[in-house]
Amino acid sequence: MTNAIAMNDFYHLTKQKEVKIIDVREAYEYQMGHVPHAKNLPLSGLGASTSELNPDNDYYLICQSGARSENACVFLDSQGFKVTNVLGGTSAWPGDLTK
């Protein structure tokens, strides 16, 4: 069971401090709108992207609804990364999405 955070709590957290957010959707989805400051590392290529991540950091993973980010959390957790799944995904983000 991986860590998870409700969207309301995550949204408030992002307003209080800078957090490392990884959007695991495909690039075209990311370009249509993403949570501000999120880095795009699509789930389809995540295995090849782990070198871009620091095992000392905490990462919040997000997708459209929370399913793909949950899969990404399971994978990255097994690789020793500290990850939290953002429940509800970008479709639940209460603020404006960045393009």
Side-chain angles (χ1 to χ4, degrees):
M1 179 81 182
T2 57
N3 292 330
I5 188 170
M7 179 52 77
N8 194 41
D9 295 334
F10 175 69
Y11 182 75
H12 289 297
L13 180 68
T14 65
K15 298 299 178 194
Q16 295 167 2
K17 66 178 189 173
E18 187 176 323
V19 294
K20 298 200 178 297
I21 307 165
I22 299 174
D23 189 322
V24 298
R25 297 175 301 154
E26 295 303 314
Y28 74 91
E29 294 173 285
Y30 176 83
Q31 290 164 358
M32 290 179 355
H34 56 271
V35 170
H37 310 294
K39 178 175 182 159
N40 187 216
L41 294 177
L43 179 59
S44 59
L46 198 56
S49 301
T50 56
S51 62
E52 297 181 43
L53 304 177
N54 182 336
D56 295 331
N57 291 337
D58 292 309
Y59 293 100
Y60 292 85
L61 275 58
I62 194 166
C63 63
Q64 188 69 37
S65 65
R68 281 180 283 178
S69 54
E70 171 66 21
N71 290 336
C73 280
V74 170
F75 170 72
L76 289 174
D77 183 62
S78 74
Q79 302 294 308
F81 292 99
K82 296 179 276 195
V83 291
T84 301
N85 187 28
V86 179
L87 301 175
T90 55
S91 57
W93 178 256
D96 291 330
L97 295 173
T98 303
K99 291 190 177 178

